[in-house]
Amino acid sequence: LFDVISIGIIGPYLAYVVSPEPTPEWVDWIASLFSVEYKRDELLIVIGMLLLSVFLLKTLISIYVQKEILNFSQKQQVRLRLGLLKQISSMPYIEFVQRNSAEYIHNLQQLTQNFVNSLRMLLRSISDFFVVFALLIMLSWIYLEVVIILFATVGIVASLFYLLTKNKQTYHGLMVNSSSQKMIQYLQEFLYGFKELRVFNKEHTYVNAYTKQAVNYGKNHSQSLLIISS
């Protein structure tokens, strides 16, 4: 709401600063609203202070909203991790030993963090969507045809982008999870068997394997973030 108000104010304000003649109707409206005779310089200061107040209030509200999103996301992270831990603790022993401990650590640490990051991005996207939607409504009062064309163009481009990148995003996500799990597994085995590896001079085997997975993780994670940010 405050984004819409600030954008709606700053445009006419800058136009009045650049070209004061003739006096816009909204200037006369503000003066009549406060029942005052105005001078141009004084009115510019008043409107400038009003605009600054709107931006300041918007910033404070934005900080508060982001704080609530972070708090909500962290609470969901704790709830999800506790839920997973309870599920693991209630598993039959035979089923429990069929999986590598690195998989459990990966699920509790990496996957829950990925979920929280996705949730945080989703909530921010919803917030941004409402701002864009409000701006489109405001613009549709003046340029309805332009808004329709813009909306259709963005919709087509977004749909094509999703179709083209859907399989790639799935692939990169699977590779990121696989590499993360293997890094945890190699690190555990390296630390638990450090004495034996040192005796037989085999440390480089795990170092090379870990390095390979770290490179794969970084490459696929970067590609995944590139697609998401686009």
Side-chain angles (χ1 to χ4, degrees):
L1 176 61
F2 285 98
D3 285 320
V4 176
I5 294 175
S6 58
I7 292 174
I9 293 176
I10 195 171
Y13 176 73
L14 292 177
Y16 183 51
V17 172
V18 175
S19 179
E21 298 294 342
T23 304
E25 294 181 0
W26 62 271
V27 174
D28 294 329
W29 178 81
I30 292 178
S32 63
L33 181 65
F34 293 98
S35 301
V36 295
E37 294 292 335
Y38 65 89
K39 294 181 179 179
R40 179 175 179 273
D41 293 340
E42 295 176 353
L43 190 60
L44 285 176
I45 295 175
V46 172
I47 299 175
M49 294 299 295
L50 177 62
L51 185 61
L52 180 62
S53 300
V54 171
F55 273 104
L56 179 60
L57 185 58
K58 180 185 76 72
T59 301
L60 294 176
I61 293 177
S62 177
I63 293 174
Y64 173 77
V65 170
Q66 295 302 323
K67 175 177 174 294
E68 290 299 315
I69 290 177
L70 290 173
N71 290 338
F72 176 78
S73 300
Q74 293 306 317
K75 289 179 181 178
Q76 297 307 308
Q77 176 179 255
V78 173
R79 184 186 65 82
L80 182 59
R81 283 180 172 170
L82 288 177
L84 287 174
L85 188 59
K86 290 180 180 179
Q87 290 290 330
I88 294 174
S89 64
S90 62
M91 290 174 60
Y93 180 75
I94 296 178
E95 182 180 351
F96 175 80
V97 296
Q98 290 178 351
R99 298 184 179 183
N100 192 290
S101 60
E103 183 177 349
Y104 298 117
I105 296 174
H106 172 70
N107 291 339
L108 284 169
Q109 295 296 118
Q110 189 66 37
L111 290 186
T112 52
Q113 186 61 48
N114 291 344
F115 169 79
V116 170
N117 292 338
S118 300
L119 177 62
R120 188 181 302 123
M121 291 179 62
L122 175 62
L123 293 175
R124 289 178 179 174
S125 298
I126 292 175
S127 176
D128 293 337
F129 170 78
F130 281 113
V131 174
V132 174
F133 185 71
L135 288 174
L136 288 176
I137 292 178
M138 184 178 68
L139 290 175
S140 65
W141 290 344
I142 306 173
Y143 306 108
L144 180 59
E145 295 81 0
V146 175
V147 172
I148 293 175
I149 295 174
L150 178 64
F151 187 79
T153 304
V154 172
I156 293 173
V157 172
S159 299
L160 290 175
F161 181 79
Y162 172 76
L163 292 175
L164 292 173
T165 60
K166 179 177 64 174
N167 293 334
K168 291 183 179 180
Q169 177 65 8
T170 301
Y171 169 78
H172 291 309
L174 292 174
M175 293 302 297
V176 165
N177 289 333
S178 176
S179 297
S180 177
Q181 181 177 331
K182 288 180 180 179
M183 283 193 295
I184 296 174
Q185 177 181 344
Y186 291 151
L187 183 60
Q188 282 184 309
E189 293 174 355
F190 177 79
L191 295 175
Y192 292 154
F194 182 79
K195 180 179 179 181
E196 291 78 7
L197 292 173
R198 176 60 60 84
V199 170
F200 294 102
N201 194 27
K202 294 293 183 179
E203 304 99 318
H204 64 279
T205 302
Y206 279 90
V207 172
N208 292 337
Y210 185 90
T211 302
K212 180 180 178 180
Q213 294 304 321
V215 171
N216 288 336
Y217 177 89
K219 180 176 66 176
N220 287 282
H221 188 58
S222 297
Q223 292 296 323
S224 177
L225 289 177
L226 179 63
I227 294 174
I228 293 175
S229 61
S230 300

